[in-house]
Amino acid sequence: MFVTQSALSLQIKRLEELVQQPLFTRDGRKLVLTRPGEILLDYARRVLSLHDEAIAAMSSGNFSGPVRIGTVQDFAETLLTGLLAQFAALHPDAQIFVRIAGTAELQTLLERKQLDVLLGFAASDHPTAIRTAPMRWYGSDALADHDVIPLAVLEKPCRFREAAIASLDAAGRRYRIAVESPNLSALRAAVAAGLGLTCRTHIFLSDAEPSSSASLPALPHVACIIDAAATGGEPTAHLANLAAEVVRGL
């Protein structure tokens, strides 16, 4: 299945936390399904069957027009490849246009009918929130002990930049902007090089552990949002639904 044992164990653990039931029990060196596991397996098979039915139904009416999706940089690398591949497989004749920008700019473009679907970040109580995620500090723990904390941030406007500064101000911690960039790749490189601490979600650095320093102040949650144009029709709604499925799985 091209999945490592550790990754599969983590997926099983997350699934058991989600349903709040033990799904497997150990029998010698083997894992066997518990009764709740057998029940969930039956549902899973029915879900997959319905999924295949939906794919067949959607594929019978391919969409050939343009569809325009806007996303913040955090989602661009981790989401777009899989999301757009799924959409293109269902609608191979579609024209897909992608815009990478901040959430505020994307919302303006959506209001002007220059986008069909938007993926961005908002306050945790936003009405179109698909899921919420905790903001976390990333970077060298040693930087957290500096008298003046060096920050690596994106250019304004940036929700994560504002949250980091607000939390440090509230805690009475001094800081300085050590690295400022409009690009997430540069921000990631700056953090990896130990030039500054940054505030993001696990979506941004899925392969890195957040800072474990107890001296850093707490950060709020952020909402992942998806908005779609009301006049976009079935293809737009389908793309928005695919995006929501992927975001919920992050």
Side-chain angles (χ1 to χ4, degrees), residues 71-86 100 119 121 131 184 188 201-207 224 242-243 245-247 249-250:
T71 178
V72 292
Q73 292 186 61
D74 297 68
F75 290 130
E77 295 180 12
T78 56
L79 265 183
L80 288 183
T81 303
L83 171 62
L84 296 186
Q86 290 182 60
I100 309 297
L119 287 80
F121 289 117
R131 61 165 295 182
L184 267 182
R188 184 183 287 108
T201 70
H202 70 281
I203 298 170
F204 169 61
L205 288 172
S206 58
D207 57 346
C224 303
L242 284 176
E245 290 178 13
V246 176
V247 169
L250 291 176

Side-chain angles (χ1 to χ4, degrees), residues 46-62 86 89-91 234 238 241-242 245:
R46 288 153 60 186
V47 167
L48 288 175
S49 177
L50 186 60
H51 170 271
D52 293 342
E53 181 183 331
I55 295 297
M58 294 299 298
S59 298
S60 63
N62 285 336
Q86 290 182 60
L90 293 173
H91 307 285
E234 185 175 321
H238 185 209
N241 288 336
L242 284 176
E245 290 178 13

Side-chain angles (χ1 to χ4, degrees), residues 135-139 149 151 163-165 167-168 197-200 209-212 216-219:
M135 292 185 184
R136 293 170 176 164
W137 293 104
Y138 287 90
I149 295 178
L151 294 180
I165 291 175
S167 66
L168 291 171
L197 293 171
T198 197
C199 161
R200 305 304 292 182
E209 290 294 323
S211 172
S212 59
L216 291 171
L219 293 163

Side-chain angles (χ1 to χ4, degrees), residues 10 29 31 48 87 111-112 135 140 155 164 177 179 197 235:
L10 180 60
R29 299 182 63 181
L31 287 178
L48 288 175
F87 187 81
E111 292 169 359
R112 293 177 179 173
M135 292 185 184
S140 171
E155 293 178 347
I177 305 299
V179 178
L197 293 171

Side-chain angles (χ1 to χ4, degrees), residues 114-193:
Q114 295 176 300
L115 285 179
D116 299 307
V117 178
L118 175 158
L119 287 80
F121 289 117
S124 58
D125 59 351
H126 196 277
T128 63
I130 297 300
R131 61 165 295 182
T132 61
M135 292 185 184
R136 293 170 176 164
W137 293 104
Y138 287 90
S140 171
D141 286 344
L143 298 179
D145 296 326
H146 288 197
D147 292 335
V148 180
I149 295 178
L151 294 180
V153 296
L154 290 184
E155 293 178 347
K156 298 177 181 178
C158 174
R159 180 173 298 275
F160 296 94
R161 173 189 181 130
E162 295 167 359
I165 291 175
S167 66
L168 291 171
D169 283 339
R173 297 294 306 273
R174 297 168 61 201
Y175 64 88
R176 64 182 179 88
I177 305 299
V179 178
E180 181 179 87
S181 171
N183 185 275
L184 267 182
S185 296
L187 184 66
R188 184 183 287 108
V191 172

